[in-house]
Amino acid sequence: HEALGNTLVAHGEYALLRRDDDVAVRSRANYMDARLFATEDAIDSAATHLREAISENPTLAVAAQTDPAFDALLASDAMGDMRELAAAAEEQTIRRQMGETPDNPVPRRRLVAWLAANERRDEALALATEALEEFPGDAELLEGHADILFDLGRYGEALESYQEGLRLHPGRTWPVYRAGAVYERQELPDAARSAYWDALDATRDDAGMALLVARGMARLDDDAGMYEALRRTVQLSITLREPSPEDVYAALNSVEEFAPYRAQAEFRAIHDELQRECAAAEDEDFQDEAADI
């Protein structure tokens, strides 16, 4: 109907879709109705429906900001600050999920992480503490709780929380690595080095973790540990492609901790291996594209 110019009928169809039980259908209908109103220069109606769309699906705020149909709307004051609107909608969505699934720790984990990422650490800590009373053995909540304490500079409490996580979930590497970071902050380099080696020994399928250990070892001026961690990083990245060799290569060239080592032969060998891998992957992608054409 839109394509045929039957805009009144199209608005009616979107109104029907907004009554659907599926939130994805409702939010998409609101988004498309807002888009149609925007093309008709009905700014207030467009703003109303776009707000409703974002309230149910915050990711649509990103889509709207790159959609030329909304240029006039976003240039006006009708929507206010889109980032604040999207953030408020995302928080509301997670809180609604918490209310709908009180026995599920996942929404609580998400909200703890969201609050911490948005610089609301005191709220995140209070929520994590409360959530741990309901789900005392949840590994991710324990680690999130410890991470917030770490970010707040409460290192002793953070270490206790990481150690409790390890006691309940001994196979996880994150709390081992973060214990090393705590020891670094407490200016205990030997303890930090030992924790980083333990984390590296436990890392079998996580190139990102190996790279973090390499950075920690570099800060401690432990050349042997750094190079061992870098070799593990490259091996896992090439095998598992997560993070990709391209991302690891970029890190080698940009991460500040590696600056003192970039001229060393051993570092150059690791760097050049990754460079060759990236070049080979790029050539393979080019050949695939050529074959498709």
Side-chain angles (χ1 to χ4, degrees), residues 8 22-23 40 106-107 112 138 170 241 264 270 290:
L8 287 176
D22 188 337
V23 65
E40 298 171 324
V106 174
V112 167
D138 189 273
R241 321 302 288 187
Q264 294 183 6
I270 294 171

Side-chain angles (χ1 to χ4, degrees), residues 41 63 73 104 152 183 197 199 202 242 265:
D41 294 323
L73 173 60
N104 185 353
L152 290 171
Y183 293 132
W197 273 109
E242 179 59 39

